[in-house]
Amino acid sequence: MRLSNCKVVILMATYQGEKYIREQLESIISQDFTNWELYISDDGSNDDTLKILQEYKKSEQRIIE
């Protein structure tokens, strides 16, 4: 089976990640392989992690929270 026929599912856990979350998301979004879904679970962050995730989720339908 060729990878181009597969969907990649990415699982990401976050906690207090506002410092690096944008960089991580941009890295995933900018990959050449585009058939993916990103599932994100946050463990109670009280910084801007959730706000940033919501921003990206609005513009990127492959991000699922």
Side-chain angles (χ1 to χ4, degrees):
M1 181 171 20
R2 294 173 36 149
L3 185 59
S4 62
N5 296 331
C6 297
K7 178 179 276 188
V8 172
V9 175
I10 305 162
L11 306 176
M12 178 186 286
T14 61
Y15 178 72
Q16 305 295 81
E18 76 175 305
K19 186 173 179 180
Y20 299 108
I21 194 73
R22 288 183 195 278
E23 184 178 353
Q24 291 173 318
L25 294 173
E26 288 297 331
S27 177
I28 293 168
I29 292 167
S30 69
Q31 297 298 310
D32 291 336
F33 186 79
T34 59
N35 193 15
W36 54 264
E37 289 182 339
L38 172 60
Y39 290 82
I40 302 173
S41 176
D42 184 77
D43 195 21
S45 294
N46 59 16
D47 62 0
D48 282 338
T49 300
L50 293 175
K51 180 181 174 185
I52 296 166
L53 292 175
Q54 289 301 317
E55 289 173 17
Y56 275 85
K57 189 176 172 186
K58 286 179 187 176
S59 62
E60 179 54 69
Q61 65 184 15
R62 297 173 292 179
I63 296 176
I64 301 159
E65 188 179 12

